[in-house]
Amino acid sequence: MTNCTITNLRINYRNNPVGTDDAKPRISWQIDTEARGFVQSAYQIQVADRSDFESEIIWDSKKTDSDKNVHIEYAGPVLKSHTRYYFRVRIWDSKGDQSEWSEPGHWETAFMFADEWQAYWITAPVQNDDLENEACDYIRSEVSLSQDIVSAKVYATSLGMYRLYINGIPADDTLFNPGYTSYKNRLQYQTYDVTSLMNSGSNAIGCILGNGWYKGYLAWEGENSHYGNTRALMIQMHVTLADGSEQVFISNDRWKVSTGPILMSEIYHGETYDARLEVEGWSSPDFDDQHWESAVVIKAPVSALVAQENEPARIIETLKPVAVITTPNGDTVLDMGQNMVGFVEFTVCAEVGTSITLQHAEVLDRDGNFYTGNLRSAKQTVTYICKGNGKETFHPNLSFQGFRYVKVTGVPEDQLLEQFLGCVIHSDLEKTGSFRCSDELVNQLQHNILWGQKGNFLDVPTDCPQRDERLGWTGDAQVFIRTAAFNMNVVPFFEKWLKDLAADQEEDGRVPHVIPDVPVAGYGSSAWGDAAVICPWTLYQCYADTRVLETQYPSMRAWVEYIRAQGENEYLWNTGFHFGDWLGLDAKENSYIGATPKDLIATAFYAYSTELLAKTAAVIGKEADADKYTFLHKNIVDAFRQEFVTPNGRVASPTQTAYVLTLMFDLMEEQDRLRTAKMLAEHIEENGVHLTTGFVGTPYLCLVLSRFGYTDLAYQLVLQKEYPSWLYSVIQGATTIWEHWDGIKQDGTFWSDDMNSYNHYAYGAVGDWFYRVVSGIDLIEPGYKKIRIQPHMGDQFSWAEASFESVYGTISTAWNKQDDGTVKLDVVIPANTSAEVILPASSMDSILEGEKSLSQTSGLLKVEQSGSEQLLLLGSGNYSFTLTNK
Ligand code: BGC
């Protein structure tokens, strides 16, 4: 028996998921062991319909020689719908010793075939045409059961946003279902296990249905109904009774519809709720719904229904207000202490008819007054009218706000601090990363990056969560995804979004600027559309997920072919609309677009996407395409040099972003690179150690500096406190990342109202450099199967620590400079992986591990000297190094 435990069994990244429609779910596990250098040599997976595995085994992989322990596809008989499958795993180590079986995991299927849906789409008989103030629908039905129940599942979806109730209780804690997808192509349904909410006898199903993304206001032109103007609901309930029989209940024209207290609910504008209109017992059994109208059946409006793919949104944490402020203008304002996304829940005692309003804003102005200018047309206003008998508690149902400050009217001041709670809502992604160091301002910056991610990972990756956008801007997602993939497991979240990207791509391969597409936004900009290629590739790199490459390949290829078809020169991209180095500081007066030529940026990204496409083709076995796109890439690089690099090897447009892209994407001749990096460094220094980059250059800036030996300058840039810099906003009190380097200027005034978000994750992309360079956790092989550990212990920090939950388990580093000049470095490498650890030490003798010399270190496979560094090849395990500097 080998000494390890098989843990953390996953199906498609999740523990025990309920409601999947994947015909070949992928199985992963982790190996928990104290042993160093642990390698798996074989595995066995069994799938059964009982957790004790006493019944017939549905699929047995048999002992399979392989070191793979992530993403192994189920390869048994066709999976049945509405079925729970159990699985267990055992492995063999490198000596051939076998482990115990793992504890069983399980997954549960939803509809494996679309034609199994029996339910009808239903809607209210009369559609409200007062779109300004459209009340939500309340929809109900009853089911009567003659026996005890063994299990009850509800499958539900809607056109519009819904919340499901069973017998008066919310069916679960998820919010904003069915989520935001390319509605005309793909609509998610949710699975609810409602067994514990149901009884034998009468039961009621209730549903609140509002506009959501489907019918509500979206984008900046004040328009709604982008995807349709009829809200509708579809529900199917499967109940297994004590005698083993199954009953199915479906939405149909016998369901009843009415309105209730929600008079208006919009994502941008907030919610209006008149508690006097509450209908007692509407979602409970035996309610008299005679006066409600009958629902109307409509034709299926979508081409594909898919089981929920990403993690649902829910309230993840709550914040109490830190202060109640009376502004110079006399407003009463709550300060949540954190720019957050979600809503406020409050409890009040007030007379019937008292109107309470909550307006939400991100910042106060220079004088300390409540400021909503940057919200543009988004009202972010919640109005609650009290019913007036004792305590009443409320939060919006189908709307969310982005805010730190809440202006409250109608509530006595003494009820404010105690009775108000900020509910932080985002997609419930698993937190996988942490980074801390000896500089508190940098720790606040990391906090701000994380909060930018929380606030903007709400079902889709959004640019911002407050003004009249909150859309899946492709460029923003592309620049931030690598950092995001450290902080949280982003695969299911992005897999869903990328399928929508592919669905919304036109025949010619163009990619809309925002996904899901809102036609007013446009399409086809370089660095934005490249999300089609960069995002799947990043997921593959960080999680070894080849399925995302296979699924996205046609979309990736179509994007590259779209570019190729633009303009007259197939190797340059010098036509069409581009955002350029968006918000670059070298922009001309009154322009949002930085000085780096757009065609340079477009061609650079064309080269990069083509290179990634060629690599992707090779990974998924499309050899001919791999050759074709390698050749195309070479030609693009040649054309780039001819067009944008002088014959003597200088970048013709000497901007920081031009240098950064040219170096990052390897677009120069090898021999010109060091000199170009030097020019970049000089440019930064001549600017007083300041950046001038925008959305396109900033994410790679520090990485490029470090790659070419300018880590010290990268540290200086990151620690720069003067505008423009990352720490400038931190010093101004930011708790999230700003859209503009000078969202609040030094004199306290704002960047103009028209585009000024205080919660925009793009510049948070520097987080990647913290993990990869400061803490030195990087990958050599996809998924961190082989890791590079190379901390850059800059003079500016005395310690730094980071940890990252890879698909194989925890990787971490923690370095700490001691008073005696030695450095302690703790490293954790997960089982079944290995690491190249590169340490600044002139000889092997100046490194101790656990107080012993390296020659006595178990798990050490090899040491090599490379200049002033030692390169250690290590197997898995926990290591404690001391660098003695001898
Ligand atoms: C958004 C962005 C986006 C940009 C396009 C803005 O309004 O907030 O972050 O990428 O438009 O340039």
Side-chain angles (χ1 to χ4, degrees), residues 463 467 469 473 476 528 579 582 695 739 755 760:
D463 56 333
R467 68 178 179 226
E469 290 204 49
W473 281 97
D476 307 46
W528 269 249
F579 291 112
W582 188 245
F695 269 39
E739 180 172 23
M755 208 187 67
H760 233 74

Side-chain angles (χ1 to χ4, degrees), residues 20 100 198 309 313 317 444 667 755:
T20 85
E100 301 276 7
M198 302 275 293
E309 292 164 318
E317 58 196 295
Q444 180 67 39
L667 299 173
M755 208 187 67

Side-chain angles (χ1 to χ4, degrees), residues 80-129:
K80 291 191 245 157
S81 296
H82 317 299
T83 305
R84 177 176 286 202
Y85 291 92
Y86 293 90
F87 69 109
R88 62 179 182 176
V89 176
R90 64 179 168 185
I91 64 158
W92 285 260
D93 66 14
S94 54
K95 292 197 267 357
D97 291 338
Q98 177 188 311
S99 75
E100 301 276 7
W101 282 109
S102 67
E103 290 294 316
H106 63 79
W107 81 95
E108 209 164 302
T109 54
F111 292 92
M112 297 306 292
F113 307 96
D115 61 4
E116 294 169 322
W117 277 94
Q118 301 164 32
Y120 295 95
W121 279 104
I122 56 172
T123 189
V126 182
Q127 299 293 314
N128 191 333
D129 1 282

Side-chain angles (χ1 to χ4, degrees), residues 3 16 32 102 235 264 307 328 351 400 494 547 708 726:
N3 198 6
N16 304 333
D32 194 9
S102 67
I235 290 185
M264 182 280 290
E351 304 233 322
F400 61 86
F494 270 104
R547 184 179 286 180
F708 290 96
W726 282 281

Side-chain angles (χ1 to χ4, degrees), residues 251-528:
S251 50
N252 58 26
D253 56 8
R254 288 193 296 282
W255 287 44
K256 292 297 194 75
V257 188
S258 186
T259 52
I262 306 180
L263 301 179
M264 182 280 290
S265 188
E266 285 283 340
I267 290 175
Y268 292 166
H269 300 319
E271 198 161 295
T272 303
Y273 187 97
D274 187 342
R276 296 170 303 183
L277 302 177
E278 282 176 357
V279 182
E280 193 64 39
W282 72 276
S283 61
S284 300
D286 305 323
F287 171 80
D288 180 5
D289 60 15
Q290 271 187 61
H291 305 295
W292 287 35
E293 301 195 74
S294 293
V296 172
V297 167
I298 58 166
K299 256 184 88 207
V302 278
S303 48
L305 284 176
V306 293
Q308 166 113 18
E309 292 164 318
N310 62 351
E311 295 84 350
R314 36 168 77 96
I315 297 172
I316 307 289
E317 58 196 295
T318 54
L319 301 177
K320 287 204 159 155
V322 295
V324 182
I325 301 165
T326 303
T327 67
N329 284 347
D331 293 329
T332 302
V333 171
L334 296 177
D335 177 2
M336 304 309 297
Q338 171 64 50
N339 197 13
M340 58 165 279
V341 177
F343 45 56
V344 169
E345 180 183 281
F346 56 89
T347 302
V348 285
C349 267
E351 304 233 322
V352 59
T354 307
S355 177
I356 292 170
T357 59
L358 271 56
Q359 276 175 278
H360 302 75
E362 291 186 289
V363 288
L364 301 180
D365 72 12
R366 178 161 61 164
D367 305 320
N369 284 315
F370 192 70
Y371 167 77
T372 55
N374 70 328
L375 305 177
R376 304 196 307 215
S377 74
K379 296 196 184 92
Q380 293 218 117
T381 301
V382 171
T383 305
Y384 178 81
I385 299 163
C386 300
K387 59 185 170 205
N389 42 12
K391 278 192 179 178
E392 29 197 316
T393 297
F394 177 75
H395 63 64
N397 294 272
L398 303 173
S399 176
F400 61 86
Q401 289 74 49
F403 61 99
R404 170 170 172 171
Y405 298 97
V406 188
K407 176 171 144 186
V408 183
T409 61
V411 179
E413 199 155 315
D414 62 347
Q415 292 190 22
L416 284 173
L417 267 180
E418 287 305 312
Q419 318 283 12
F420 283 68
L421 200 60
C423 302
V424 177
I425 300 171
H426 53 89
S427 290
D428 195 1
L429 309 191
E430 181 189 356
K431 194 162 181 276
T432 51
S434 67
F435 169 82
R436 285 180 64 233
C437 67
S438 52
D439 188 312
E440 277 312 318
L441 291 175
V442 173
N443 291 339
Q444 180 67 39
L445 175 59
Q446 168 65 17
H447 167 102
N448 296 1
I449 294 169
L450 186 63
W451 278 83
Q453 183 164 353
K454 290 180 186 180
N456 286 295
F457 275 41
L458 215 181
D459 205 59
V460 295
T462 57
D463 56 333
C464 60
Q466 73 299 80
R467 68 178 179 226
D468 50 4
E469 290 204 49
R470 314 187 192 188
L471 300 172
W473 281 97
T474 47
D476 307 46
Q478 174 272 107
V479 304
F480 188 61
I481 186 170
R482 185 78 194 247
T483 299
F486 273 113
N487 293 329
M488 299 180 193
N489 181 329
V490 297
V491 187
F493 181 79
F494 270 104
E495 271 179 346
K496 161 187 170 273
W497 185 75
L498 285 166
K499 286 183 192 166
D500 291 310
L501 184 151
D504 278 339
Q505 231 170 331
E506 296 286 332
E507 275 295 285
D508 66 0
R510 68 179 69 160
V511 175
H513 297 324
V514 304
I515 300 294
D517 187 18
V518 185
V520 295
Y523 61 85
S525 168
S526 60
W528 269 249

Side-chain angles (χ1 to χ4, degrees), residues 2-8 29-35 38 69 91 99 808 830-832:
T2 180
N3 198 6
C4 72
T5 316
I6 308 304
T7 60
N8 212 354
W29 59 90
Q30 292 177 355
I31 302 163
D32 194 9
T33 174
E34 300 275 290
F38 190 97
N69 64 319
I91 64 158
S99 75
Y808 294 97
N832 209 26

